Amino acid sequence: MTHQSSISTAPFTVIGADRPARWVVTCDHATNRVPSDINGGDLGLPAADMARHIAYDVGADGVSTYLAEMLDAPYVRSEFSRLVIDPNRGDNDPTLVMKLYDGTIIPANRHVDATEVTRRRETLHKPYHDAVADVISRRKQPLICAIHSFTPQLKGGDMRPWHVGVLFAEDDRLARPFLDLIYQEKDICTGENEPYGGHLPGDALDRHAMQPGHPNILIEVRNDLIETEAQQKAWAQRLAPILQQALINSAL
């Protein structure tokens, strides 16, 4: 039995486009959905694999939805699985369409050629990024907050102790004051550029924040902490005031 979750709608959704905040919340890996024109809406994986972090960022959409409400900010999310094509990779990144992820072979991607990668990029990847760019362009002095989640352990890897990871590259105008504040929350184990470091050239924040010079922050929440809607809302309630105070402290 393989997972069936096809969509025929746009490859993105914008929620609260008219909200007035400078913040723009994004979630590149919001869903595990597979468009119907991709192998009939089925990547050939069992439902259990499609429910894992390899297919999407578990819990991140709920956190993003509540966080955007609390910040009174627009929220842009993808509407396709990262295994179809990864919105958080540059156009020419070799991991744009993954054939193997965390020990799992992706059957429907095994024989994907350059023509199919281009088609997915034009029909899914590009429209999502166009939507993000459009929402950002409508803000004066925009601030980008990207929400992701991470698994407590990759296959064969060490357990990850962090509850939250704060990722940034050279531009730490938001990340540094945010870290100064969240480190004061003694019940939150926070990692600086953990469980990954910085950003990749051409990834979503490089494209929408660093290249145009907009202040930005990427927040990763460990996905076992945000499995339920109540947990997702609770984490948004923790993060929103810290983000708002970090903005004040940054004097941006």
Side-chain angles (χ1 to χ4, degrees), residues 135-164:
V135 171
I136 291 172
S137 73
R138 297 172 186 273
R139 315 277 113 190
K140 290 184 178 180
Q141 299 179 300
L143 313 159
I144 292 80
C145 177
I147 299 296
H148 291 255
S149 71
F150 64 96
T151 185
Q153 184 180 29
L154 290 173
K155 286 188 176 178
D158 295 332
M159 291 297 295
R160 293 162 162 176
W162 311 283
H163 300 140
V164 172

Side-chain angles (χ1 to χ4, degrees), residues 63-227:
V63 174
S64 301
T65 299
Y66 284 115
L67 183 64
E69 287 179 4
M70 294 168 192
L71 296 174
D72 206 12
Y75 167 38
V76 190
R77 71 180 181 220
S78 66
E79 290 290 355
F80 51 91
S81 171
R82 69 196 300 167
L83 293 179
V84 173
I85 188 167
D86 194 333
N88 198 32
R89 295 293 182 270
D91 289 340
N92 299 311
D93 192 298
T95 63
L96 188 63
V97 176
M98 295 287 280
K99 300 185 179 185
L100 175 71
Y101 195 165
D102 195 20
T104 297
I105 294 172
I106 319 304
N109 289 349
R110 290 184 70 175
H111 304 295
V112 165
D113 59 14
T115 300
E116 174 62 9
V117 172
T118 297
R119 189 188 73 82
R120 294 186 192 184
R121 192 168 59 229
E122 290 299 311
T123 59
L124 298 167
H125 191 273
K126 184 178 183 298
Y128 169 71
H129 284 292
D130 286 348
V132 174
D134 179 65
V135 171
I136 291 172
S137 73
R138 297 172 186 273
R139 315 277 113 190
K140 290 184 178 180
Q141 299 179 300
L143 313 159
I144 292 80
C145 177
I147 299 296
H148 291 255
S149 71
F150 64 96
T151 185
Q153 184 180 29
L154 290 173
K155 286 188 176 178
D158 295 332
M159 291 297 295
R160 293 162 162 176
W162 311 283
H163 300 140
V164 172
V166 179
L167 276 59
F168 58 95
E170 295 80 14
D171 184 354
D172 63 356
R173 289 176 291 171
L174 274 175
R176 186 56 57 195
F178 182 88
L179 282 165
D180 290 343
L181 291 166
I182 200 168
Y183 281 144
Q184 298 175 33
E185 304 288 325
K186 300 304 183 185
D187 60 330
I188 299 178
C189 179
T190 300
E192 183 174 328
N193 279 325
E194 298 286 1
Y196 331 100
H199 303 298
L200 299 170
D203 71 9
L205 275 187
D206 182 54
R207 181 188 303 240
H208 296 294
M210 285 180 284
Q211 289 185 30
H214 301 316
N216 62 90
I217 185 169
L218 189 155
I219 299 174
E220 295 258 7
V221 184
R222 206 175 69 204
N223 66 23
D224 61 321
L225 304 177
I226 51 173
E227 292 175 337

